[in-house]
Amino acid sequence: MKFGCLLVAIVASVSAGPRGFQPSGASQSAGARGFQPSGVRSPQRLALQVTYAKDVAPLLVDRCGMCHHPGGSAPFSLLTYADAKRHGAQIAAATKRRFMPPWKADPADGPFVGQHPLSDVEILLLQRWVDEGAAEGDPRDAPSPRVWTEGWQLGKPDLVVTLPQPYTLPAEGTDVFRIFVIPIPVDAATFVRGLEFRPGNPRVVHHANIRVDATPVSRRLDAQDPAPGYDGLIARSATYPDGHFLGWTPGQVAPLLPKDLAWRLDTHTDLVVQLHMQPSGKPEAVAPSVGLYFSAEPPTRTPAMLRLGRQNIDVPAGDARYTITDSYVLPVDVEVEAVQPHAHYRLRDARGVATLPDGSTKPLITIRDWDFRWQHVYRFVTPLRLPKGATLSMRYAYDNSDANPRNPQQPPSRARWGQRSSDEMGDLWIQVLTRDERDLDRLSSDFRPKVAAVLHLDEATQHCPLDFFVTCSSASSG
């Protein structure tokens, strides 16, 4: 049986645009916090017959088309009336459960880049369309066709690397997590502004976690397996570069970074790509490729990656309310650029909060129905400014009972911390920017002892980048 810890992320960091640091303490505007999905119909319009052309097609194009188009990552297209009618019952059922579109964060949080969930009214509208017979309506009312390019979304890359030999995914079995190591052939150190991932076989590749390894460790692990890639754990030497998230989920492509936030790529560095793949019923060839976009200018600012969580998780069998918590007090002003929660199948409720020195709170992330299959990096449209003295905290609640439909073991058994998907994890990654290099050094120095005290790291390890660090705290059950 194949296992692997999946840490999914979109190719994410900070969004393009002016990045001047703003004084801490200012709150987000009402408009930013009051996110409203588009396409909500008026009560008067809801009294009329629901049609594909006027009501359903705009939603499918806007919310589903990025994956559900010909050649897209979804298993079928939804861009024609015939396609939508054929899958009408599936559409109604999946949206009612909020399984689709795959957006797990609370709509009140953020706003985040790509945040465009269906409203309750829109979900009801889709259900009504199916219940009323899935009428087409006047085709002239349908939105103009949208074309999704099959090429590189960010333009022609400066370098494309591809898995040299395709991996053959077995026809049957459970989900496969496999790690592939791809050398990056650069003859001098350079700087990277963007990375675009192409799955090679979108029918079976669910998502990807990407890291870089400047050591030969990952390459050696790959060489020990005669087939392309290897099963097991990502080596600790494979990290996120310079405080940046890397990865891919269907339909997501992050913009190029501002030049002052590019990350350094040294020679003899490998991409380490962990794929989550789902068998299709027949053998499938998988050969992912990655496009890299370079910058000639070195970065002038470097993000820090803070990680809250636990490494002594021990969930008793049948415990439906096991809880872990952790917190960290910021020693400097920061801008929170992005957050990424991570756990496995038993997590049910994930929350991250920032508490300001005056006692008021700002949500970082709230997911009330965690699903291991849909993990994102959530990038703030406008960075969340936090002052020195603010407390970052997380609280995760797990359900290891037989009432949890996503519990991988039935009957339930004891679950401890571990990187295999049958184990459990609980992390909240928080990407922040400091005001300047001096504050970054101070943050690093302040954060390092907290981590070292828990992990008993040796002197050499304590000098690893912030994106390696894990913080741990106390657990409670009940």
Side-chain angles (χ1 to χ4, degrees):
M1 185 174 182
K2 295 177 169 59
F3 296 104
C5 167
L6 179 64
L7 185 59
V8 172
I10 59 178
V11 182
S13 181
V14 293
S15 58
R19 308 304 302 155
F21 188 91
Q22 300 295 324
S24 63
S27 62
Q28 290 180 305
S29 66
R33 298 299 305 161
F35 171 78
Q36 293 294 332
S38 63
V40 179
R41 292 172 27 146
S42 68
Q44 293 81 5
R45 177 63 189 151
L46 285 172
L48 304 177
Q49 182 187 32
V50 179
T51 68
Y52 168 80
K54 184 176 288 294
D55 306 297
V56 174
L59 293 178
L60 297 183
V61 169
D62 189 44
R63 315 297 174 81
C64 311
M66 69 286 294
C67 295
H68 288 272
H69 65 266
S73 57
F76 50 82
S77 175
L78 289 175
L79 298 186
T80 68
Y81 169 65
D83 289 335
K85 184 176 182 180
R86 183 181 307 114
H87 296 284
Q90 290 174 268
I91 294 171
T95 55
K96 183 177 181 180
R97 293 167 45 216
R98 290 199 176 276
F99 180 70
M100 289 287 167
W103 185 267
K104 304 304 293 184
D106 191 313
D109 291 347
F112 299 113
V113 174
Q115 182 171 345
H116 211 28
L118 289 169
S119 68
D120 291 341
V121 173
E122 290 166 333
I123 292 173
L124 178 61
L125 182 148
L126 293 171
Q127 183 71 57
R128 279 190 55 200
W129 178 65
V130 174
D131 291 345
E132 293 173 1
E136 180 178 14
D138 188 342
R140 293 174 296 181
D141 292 333
S144 300
R146 185 181 299 182
V147 178
W148 278 267
T149 177
E150 297 303 315
W152 295 98
Q153 305 297 303
L154 295 177
K156 183 180 178 180
D158 295 297
L159 175 67
V160 176
V161 294
T162 304
L163 190 68
Q165 178 185 350
Y167 170 74
T168 301
L169 180 68
E172 306 293 341
T174 59
D175 291 8
V176 173
F177 300 91
R178 193 164 178 88
I179 301 166
F180 302 92
V181 182
I182 307 175
I184 307 175
V186 294
D187 53 14
T190 189
F191 305 100
V192 181
R193 290 189 61 201
L195 179 153
E196 184 173 337
F197 176 84
R198 302 184 75 173
N201 189 336
R203 293 185 301 276
V204 297
V205 178
H206 190 272
H207 37 232
N209 174 35
I210 304 172
R211 303 187 190 185
V212 296
D213 193 345
T215 78
V217 173
S218 296
R219 196 178 304 180
R220 290 170 182 166
L221 290 171
D222 194 346
Q224 293 172 8
D225 192 316
Y230 69 95
D231 293 333
L233 309 180
I234 294 178
R236 282 192 168 181
S237 55
T239 62
Y240 295 119
D242 295 343
H244 291 279
F245 290 113
L246 302 179
W248 173 83
T249 54
Q252 302 284 347
V253 177
L256 295 175
L257 294 170
K259 292 181 179 180
D260 65 340
L261 285 171
W263 50 271
R264 181 184 175 93
L265 174 64
D266 290 314
T267 58
H268 308 296
T269 296
D270 298 324
L271 279 177
V272 180
V273 181
Q274 183 186 54
L275 296 186
H276 174 193
M277 298 172 284
Q278 299 172 316
S280 67
K282 64 177 182 179
E284 298 272 5
V286 179
S289 58
V290 177
L292 296 166
Y293 300 82
F294 296 149
S295 171
E297 302 176 19
T300 58
R301 305 182 71 193
T302 301
M305 197 80 77
L306 306 178
R307 188 177 177 190
L308 305 180
R310 281 279 313 283
Q311 282 194 300
N312 60 346
I313 293 173
D314 190 351
V315 192
D319 193 336
R321 298 186 302 275
Y322 183 88
T323 302
I324 67 171
T325 61
D326 192 19
S327 62
Y328 174 67
V329 179
L330 292 168
V332 296
D333 293 353
V334 302
E335 289 179 344
V336 179
E337 304 289 337
V339 296
Q340 189 220 356
H342 173 64
H344 296 167
Y345 290 104
R346 299 170 187 83
L347 180 64
R348 296 308 299 270
D349 188 280
R351 301 184 186 231
V353 175
T355 303
L356 304 187
D358 65 5
S360 62
T361 61
K362 293 180 180 290
L364 297 174
I365 189 74
T366 304
I367 298 177
R368 294 183 174 87
D369 182 27
W370 174 264
D371 190 335
F372 174 66
R373 296 166 294 180
W374 295 108
Q375 302 188 55
H376 294 283
V377 170
Y378 296 91
R379 294 183 294 129
F380 286 91
V381 172
T382 302
L384 179 62
R385 297 183 292 274
L386 298 177
K388 172 184 176 180
T391 300
L392 305 174
S393 62
M394 55 88 77
R395 182 183 185 277
Y396 286 10
Y398 298 80
D399 182 353
N400 194 20
S401 72
D402 55 9
N404 181 359
R406 299 187 182 112
N407 196 327
Q409 295 174 318
Q410 297 289 353
S413 62
R414 180 183 185 182
R416 296 181 176 181
W417 183 93
Q419 296 192 45
R420 295 176 176 84
S421 58
S422 59
D423 301 322
E424 264 311 328
M425 296 185 74
D427 302 310
L428 178 61
W429 296 74
I430 306 170
Q431 184 192 45
V432 301
L433 270 176
T434 58
R435 186 185 303 274
D436 51 32
E437 195 70 23
R438 179 180 297 178
D439 279 0
L440 178 61
D441 290 342
R442 183 176 179 186
L443 176 63
S444 175
S445 297
D446 186 77
F447 198 69
R448 185 174 291 119
K450 173 180 172 65
V451 180
V454 177
L455 296 183
H456 307 291
L457 303 179
D458 60 25
E459 183 65 20
T461 305
Q462 290 184 40
H463 290 288
C464 287
L466 278 177
D467 60 357
F468 173 82
F469 292 163
V470 182
T471 65
C472 306
S473 185
S474 60
S476 63
S477 181

